[in-house]
Amino acid sequence: MQIGIIGYPFSGKTTLFETITAIHQENIAQQKKDENRAMIKVPDERLDILTEIFQPKRKVNATIEVIDFAGFQPSEQKGNIFTPQFIAKIKTMDALLHVVRGFDDPNVPAFSDSIDMVRDIRNLEDEFIFADLIFVENRIEKLQKEMLKQKNREEAEKEIKEMQLWKDALENNTPLREVDFDENSMKYIVNYQPLSVKPLLIALNLSENMVANQEQIVNEIRAKFPSEKIAILPFFAKIELELSQLDKEEKQIFMDEYGLVGSPLDRLIQNAYNLLGLQSFLTVGEDETRSWTIKKGMTAQQAAGVIHTDFYNKFIRAEVVHSDHLIQEGTIAKCREKGYLRLEGKEYIVKDGDILNIRHS
Ligand SMILES: Nc1nc2c(ncn2[C@@H]2O[C@H](COP(=O)(O)OP(=O)(O)O)[C@@H](O)[C@H]2O)c(=O)[nH]1
Ligand SMILES: [Mg+2]
């Protein structure tokens, strides 16, 4: 899974990237000029405990990739912030993380010389819609030309209808993520990856003096963007970055002082998983303990396919025990004794925290 970090210059994108990846400026400087990339391990306490129990050769966390894209250049003119190159890059992301400038600091220049989070979020929403609208209009024009040449007439006609549906929504200022698409539309969505359909994580980058009011601030902005496909989460990038460089005890002292709760990475992952409908399952053994990311609602056979396509094709059964039970009992044998270990068929819907052992031919 890939999450793309976007936002206005000086909103704190790179600071947030450093905070969640634990890669710091001196390392980043050697990377590509226009973007920073990192694979981050998805923290999972269950995996840590199971690793203690099984003492395998290695522990492998599920990973997600985060990419910190260089900021687009704000412009006085509306609707031309994103260059085609920028759009091409962010199109392939599974979700976008929009970092919004909420902190006030006279030493750090701000877009439009003022702090206005609602304005910045709106501007970006408009920009997504605008980019999609241009795409849709070009597409319709192209398809109409094809129709004139009697090329793929039937297919073109079907697609024009679909594009017209998108166009109507976009002209109404409705992001495509709010449209209730049917199966037929999904094919086009997957192919074209319009920007306004992407799940959106909005990271409000707040000052340390806003820690106490964070809930109220989030609620106020949430009320303006009430979509289920948008998550709004507070960050305090600058202090959270400083804290990430301290040892555990020191960190706790400062967190208490500031009134901060939880780690920024956990906050991001939890929200991303919720928003994208993701969950984890685990595998254990002498060689490795490992966590895997899948969509909620996936079957045992589909989950097996995430491990290896062969496991999907040659799937027979899955031995399933929930990690809570294995952690409680300590061994597979005990779980079997107590009836916690089950054999499930290919249609079994995997639950978050299930441990699977795939039997295949
Ligand atoms: N006061 C304050 N400064 C911040 C905060 N987050 C980032 N900055 C500073 O703002 C500047 C721009 O941050 P950066 O992460 O490079 O922004 P980017 O252009 O979006 O990547 C840097 O000097 C950061 O140290 C914050 O929460 N509070
Ligand atoms: Mg940056």
Coordinates of all heavy atoms in Angstrom, one line a residue, residues 8-15 103 105 108 205-206 237-238, ligand 1:
Y8 N 0.6 22.2 0.7 CA 1.3 23.4 0.4 C 2.7 23.4 0.9 O 3.0 22.7 1.9 CB 0.5 24.6 0.9 CG -0.8 24.9 0.1 CD1 -2.0 24.5 0.6 CD2 -0.7 25.5 -1.1 CE1 -3.2 24.8 -0.1 CE2 -1.9 25.7 -1.9 CZ -3.1 25.3 -1.3 OH -4.2 25.5 -2.1
P9 N 3.6 24.2 0.3 CA 4.9 24.4 0.8 C 4.8 24.9 2.3 O 3.9 25.6 2.6 CB 5.5 25.4 -0.1 CG 4.7 25.4 -1.4 CD 3.4 25.0 -1.0
F10 N 5.8 24.5 3.1 CA 5.9 24.9 4.5 C 4.7 24.5 5.3 O 4.4 25.1 6.3 CB 6.0 26.4 4.6 CG 7.2 27.0 3.7 CD1 6.9 27.9 2.7 CD2 8.5 26.6 3.9 CE1 7.9 28.3 1.9 CE2 9.5 27.0 3.2 CZ 9.2 27.9 2.1
S11 N 4.0 23.4 4.9 CA 2.9 23.0 5.8 C 3.4 22.0 6.8 O 2.7 21.7 7.8 CB 1.7 22.4 4.9 OG 2.2 21.4 4.1
G12 N 4.6 21.4 6.5 CA 5.2 20.5 7.5 C 5.2 19.0 6.9 O 5.3 18.1 7.7
K13 N 5.1 18.9 5.6 CA 5.1 17.5 5.0 C 6.3 16.7 5.4 O 6.3 15.6 5.8 CB 5.0 17.6 3.5 CG 3.7 18.2 3.0 CD 3.6 18.2 1.5 CE 4.7 19.1 0.9 NZ 4.6 20.6 1.3
T14 N 7.5 17.4 5.2 CA 8.7 16.6 5.4 C 9.0 16.4 6.9 O 9.4 15.3 7.2 CB 9.9 17.4 4.7 OG1 9.6 17.6 3.3 CG2 11.2 16.6 4.9
T15 N 8.6 17.3 7.7 CA 8.7 17.1 9.1 C 7.8 15.9 9.6 O 8.3 15.1 10.3 CB 8.2 18.4 9.9 OG1 8.9 19.5 9.3 CG2 8.5 18.3 11.4
F103 N -0.2 25.5 12.2 CA 0.7 26.2 13.2 C 1.0 27.6 12.7 O 1.1 27.8 11.5 CB 2.0 25.4 13.4 CG 2.9 25.3 12.3 CD1 3.9 26.3 12.1 CD2 2.9 24.3 11.4 CE1 4.8 26.3 11.0 CE2 3.8 24.2 10.3 CZ 4.7 25.2 10.1
D105 N 3.8 30.5 12.8 CA 5.2 30.7 13.2 C 5.7 31.8 12.2 O 5.8 31.6 11.0 CB 6.0 29.4 13.0 CG 7.4 29.6 13.5 OD1 7.9 30.7 13.5 OD2 8.0 28.6 13.8
V108 N 8.3 30.9 9.6 CA 8.0 30.0 8.5 C 7.0 30.6 7.6 O 5.8 30.8 8.1 CB 7.6 28.6 9.0 CG1 7.3 27.7 7.9 CG2 8.5 28.1 10.0
N205 N -1.6 20.0 10.9 CA -0.4 20.2 11.6 C -0.4 21.4 12.5 O -0.4 22.6 12.1 CB 0.8 20.4 10.6 CG 2.1 20.3 11.2 OD1 2.3 19.9 12.4 ND2 3.1 20.8 10.6
L206 N -0.7 21.1 13.8 CA -1.0 22.2 14.8 C 0.2 22.6 15.6 O 1.2 21.9 15.7 CB -2.1 21.7 15.7 CG -3.4 21.1 15.0 CD1 -4.3 20.5 16.0 CD2 -4.1 22.2 14.2
A237 N 3.7 18.2 14.3 CA 4.9 17.6 13.7 C 6.2 18.0 14.3 O 7.1 17.2 14.5 CB 4.8 18.0 12.2
K238 N 6.3 19.3 14.6 CA 7.6 19.8 15.1 C 7.9 19.2 16.4 O 9.0 18.6 16.6 CB 7.6 21.3 15.2 CG 9.0 21.8 15.3 CD 9.1 23.3 15.1 CE 10.5 23.8 15.4 NZ 10.5 25.2 15.7
Ligands
LIG1 N1 6.6 26.1 14.6 C1 6.4 25.0 13.9 N2 7.2 24.8 12.8 C2 7.0 23.7 12.1 C3 6.0 22.8 12.4 N3 6.0 21.8 11.4 C4 7.0 22.2 10.6 N4 7.6 23.3 10.9 C5 8.7 24.0 10.3 O1 8.2 24.6 9.1 C6 9.3 24.5 8.1 C7 8.7 23.8 6.9 O2 8.5 22.4 7.2 P1 8.6 21.2 6.2 O3 8.3 20.0 6.9 O4 10.0 21.3 5.5 O5 7.5 21.7 5.2 P2 7.1 21.1 3.7 O6 7.5 22.2 2.8 O7 5.7 20.9 3.7 O8 7.9 19.8 3.5 C8 10.4 23.8 8.7 O9 11.3 24.8 9.2 C9 9.8 23.1 9.9 O10 10.7 23.0 11.0 C10 5.2 23.0 13.5 O11 4.3 22.1 13.8 N5 5.4 24.1 14.2

